[in-house]
Amino acid sequence: MAFLSRIFLFFFFFFCSTGSHVACTKTAYEVLQEYDFPVGLLPKGVTGYELDISTGEFSVYFNGSCTFSIDSYELKYKSTITGVITEDKLSSLSGIKVKVLFLWLNIVKVIRDDDELEFSVGIASADFAVSNFDESPTCGCGFDCLSLNFNHPLLTSSFASS
C-alpha cells in the first residue's frame, strides 16, 4: 500500500511541476515565495507555468508580451520567460529586458541577499530593496495605473452634448 501512495505522490508532483491541468493549488507567485523571492518579480497576468523541481528549470507564460515602467526603468517581459530557480537565486534568465539609457539589456540573474535583490545584466548589476517587490506590477502601467490620463481622446466619449 505504501508503494502505491508513493507512486500517486510522484505523479501528483510530476503533473503539478509540469504545469498540467491537475488541480494544483500553487500559483507561480506562490512558487516564487517558496524560493524566498517576492511576488513582484512577476507582473500580474501569469497564465501558467512549468517547473522541474529536480533541476529548478522553469517557464512562465503570459497571454502576450508585457511592458511597463517603474521609476526610471522600462521593463519588457516576453510571453514566455525561462530560467533556473534555486533558493535565493534566479539564473539563466531569458525573456526579461530592462532599458538602461538607450539600450535594452537582458536581465540574466537575480540574487537575494537578505533584504536586497541584485539584478544582473551580465556586465553590470544593481541592488534594490526586496520591499520594492512586495506587489506585482501591471502590464502597461506598472504601479502607476491610477494616474492614467483619462482625458486622453481615445478614452473620452465621442458623443457631443447639445
Side-chain angles (χ1 to χ4, degrees):
M1 187 61 143
F3 177 73
L4 289 177
S5 60
R6 285 186 192 153
I7 290 176
F8 172 77
L9 285 174
F10 169 79
F11 280 110
F12 177 78
F13 286 117
F14 173 78
F15 285 120
C16 283
S17 68
T18 59
S20 71
H21 297 288
V22 173
C24 303
T25 58
K26 293 179 187 170
T27 66
Y29 306 99
E30 292 168 329
V31 171
L32 271 178
Q33 290 177 314
E34 286 182 357
Y35 286 90
D36 203 24
F37 285 104
V39 296
L41 288 180
L42 288 173
K44 294 176 183 174
V46 170
T47 59
Y49 71 95
E50 297 175 13
L51 172 63
D52 182 333
I53 55 176
S54 65
T55 64
E57 292 179 0
F58 70 86
S59 297
V60 177
Y61 306 104
F62 298 92
N63 277 332
S65 63
C66 175
T67 303
F68 55 91
S69 295
I70 299 177
D71 296 329
S72 62
Y73 296 98
E74 191 171 347
L75 292 139
K76 282 185 188 178
Y77 284 68
K78 289 186 176 181
S79 59
T80 301
I81 61 171
T82 61
V84 176
I85 190 168
T86 57
E87 185 81 16
D88 294 329
K89 185 176 180 182
L90 291 162
S91 59
S92 302
L93 290 173
S94 175
I96 307 171
K97 292 185 175 193
V98 61
K99 189 174 186 180
V100 179
L101 298 175
F102 299 104
L103 300 173
W104 283 99
L105 303 172
N106 292 311
I107 296 175
V108 295
K109 188 180 346 177
V110 180
I111 297 174
R112 180 172 180 159
D113 185 15
D114 292 324
D115 291 333
E116 297 266 317
L117 290 173
E118 176 187 319
F119 291 81
S120 173
V121 294
I123 58 173
S125 63
D127 294 340
F128 299 93
V130 170
S131 60
N132 291 340
F133 301 89
D134 285 342
E135 65 179 272
S136 295
T138 301
C139 294
C141 58
F143 296 114
D144 199 24
C145 299
L146 294 178
S147 69
L148 288 175
N149 183 1
F150 288 104
N151 292 323
H152 190 278
L154 293 176
L155 298 176
T156 57
S157 173
S158 59
F159 296 106
S161 59
S162 47

